[in-house]
Amino acid sequence: MRKKVIAGNWKMNKDLHQSQKLVSDIINGLGKDTKADVIVCPPFTSLYEVSSLLKGTQIKLGAQNMYYEESGAYTGEVSTDMLKSVGCEYVILGHSERRVIFNEPDELINKKIKVALAKGLKPIFCIGELLEQRENGETMQVVSRQVEKGLEGVSSEQMKNVIIAYEPVWAIGTGKTATPQQAQEVHSFIRELVAKKFSASVAENLIIQYGGSVKPENSNVLLSQKDIDGALVGGACLKADSFLGIIASA
Ligand code: PGA
C-alpha cells in the first residue's frame, strides 16, 4: 500500500511573517492521527525559519527549485547543499511554471534531478501537458517524453526517492481540475511507463501525485483513484484550513 503524500507549493507567496503564521496554523491544526505524509515548500527566504518551526513535527520541508552546480558564479541560484543546510528534504523540479515562464528544458531538469538525488534531496518531479497538447491528443506523448528525458540516467535504486507529480498545465491555478477519470488515466499510464523504464516494483512503489486546482471539495474523489497517491497543492495550500482539509481527505 502506498502512503498518500500531500505537498503544498507556496510558489512566490508569503513573506517571513506570513510564512511563520501559515506553518504554525498548519502544525496546530494537523491531527495526531494524520496518516498522510505532509510536505510544505515555502519560498527560499522562509525555509530556515519554517524548518525550525517544523522541528519535532511530522511535516517535511521542501524547496521549489535549485541549481545543479555545487557553488560558484551563478548569480541568483541556490545549490542542493544550501537547501540541505536549512533543513530541506525535498525539492520541486520541472514545475510547469519553471518550464514555461523560465524556459527550463527537459535536459536541465534532468541534470537537476540527478544532482538532487546524488546529494540526498528527494525530487518532486513535475510533468504535464499544455491545453493545446491535450486538445491535439498529445497528452501521453508529452508525458512520455518528460518522463523519459527527465529520468534519464536515474537508477532504480534512486527511484525510491523520487515523487512524480502529474499536473496538467491547463488545470494549474485555473480552477479547472482534471476529472478523476482523466487524471487516473494519465497516472496509470505514467506507472506503466515507469514499469517499462525501471521495473514493476519501482512502478508499484512510486508515489504519483496529482496537481492542478486541488481543493478540499475535490481532493477526496481524486485521491480515491487507484493510481493517485497524493496531491501537489498550489492555491489551496496558502490557507491552513483548506490545506488541512485536503490532508484530512487523504
Ligand atoms: P494550483 O497549483 O493548486 O494552484 O492549481 C498547483 C501547482 O502548480 O503545483
Side-chain angles (χ1 to χ4, degrees):
M1 257 301 269
R2 293 179 296 267
K3 216 172 172 184
K4 299 275 192 245
V5 183
I6 309 297
N9 174 8
W10 298 15
K11 308 192 180 182
M12 198 174 75
N13 294 293
K14 307 289 177 190
D15 65 17
L16 187 58
H17 218 77
Q18 294 163 335
S19 299
Q20 290 166 328
K21 167 93 176 83
L22 177 56
V23 79
S24 303
D25 290 347
I26 295 169
I27 294 168
N28 294 333
L30 200 65
K32 291 233 163 3
D33 52 353
T34 302
K35 291 194 185 68
D37 281 348
V38 179
I39 306 166
V40 290
C41 305
F44 289 135
T45 46
S46 297
L47 285 172
Y48 183 67
E49 179 61 18
V50 168
S51 169
S52 47
L53 293 170
L54 291 180
K55 287 217 173 82
T57 74
Q58 62 173 102
I59 305 172
K60 308 279 171 53
L61 186 66
Q64 298 173 20
N65 188 26
M66 51 156 264
Y67 196 53
Y68 61 82
E69 292 288 356
E70 254 175 49
S71 63
Y74 304 101
T75 302
E77 294 295 327
V78 169
S79 75
T80 47
D81 286 344
M82 292 172 186
L83 295 180
K84 280 175 35 184
S85 75
V86 294
C88 288
E89 192 177 326
Y90 292 87
V91 59
I92 298 173
L93 293 174
H95 191 279
S96 66
E97 285 146 22
R98 299 298 320 171
R99 292 178 189 265
V100 175
I101 306 172
F102 300 100
N103 297 316
E104 288 197 13
D106 291 312
E107 292 71 19
L108 174 63
I109 296 161
N110 173 248
K111 275 188 182 168
K112 293 185 182 193
I113 289 177
K114 284 192 291 196
V115 170
L117 287 167
K119 292 274 190 172
L121 273 182
K122 299 172 183 165
I124 300 177
F125 168 41
C126 304
I127 57 176
E129 81 287 1
L130 305 169
L131 180 60
E132 191 191 331
Q133 293 167 326
R134 175 158 284 263
E135 286 173 349
N136 290 340
E138 294 166 2
T139 298
M140 302 312 189
Q141 217 176 306
V142 170
V143 164
S144 289
R145 189 205 71 225
Q146 291 172 333
V147 166
E148 199 52 53
K149 296 204 164 173
L151 297 177
E152 202 176 289
V154 172
S155 72
S156 294
E157 190 56 31
Q158 288 177 317
M159 282 301 290
K160 288 181 187 154
N161 292 322
V162 175
I163 292 177
I164 291 185
Y166 168 60
E167 302 199 300
V169 180
W170 48 271
I172 295 180
T174 57
K176 275 190 214 163
T177 325
T179 65
Q181 294 71 27
Q182 280 174 323
Q184 166 57 28
E185 187 191 13
V186 183
H187 279 236
S188 120
F189 177 75
I190 295 167
R191 208 177 294 287
E192 279 168 33
L193 282 176
V194 169
K196 274 188 221 137
K197 186 169 174 60
F198 298 95
S199 71
S201 84
V202 168
E204 190 49 39
N205 291 312
L206 176 71
I207 300 294
I208 309 178
Q209 296 177 321
Y210 170 79
S213 300
V214 176
K215 39 188 183 267
E217 296 76 35
N218 61 24
S219 54
N220 202 7
V221 50
L222 283 162
L223 291 168
S224 60
Q225 302 300 306
K226 183 171 159 283
D227 289 292
I228 302 187
D229 310 312
L232 181 55
V233 185
C237 82
L238 297 174
K239 289 210 172 96
D241 282 356
S242 50
F243 191 53
L244 290 165
I246 294 167
I247 296 167
S249 71

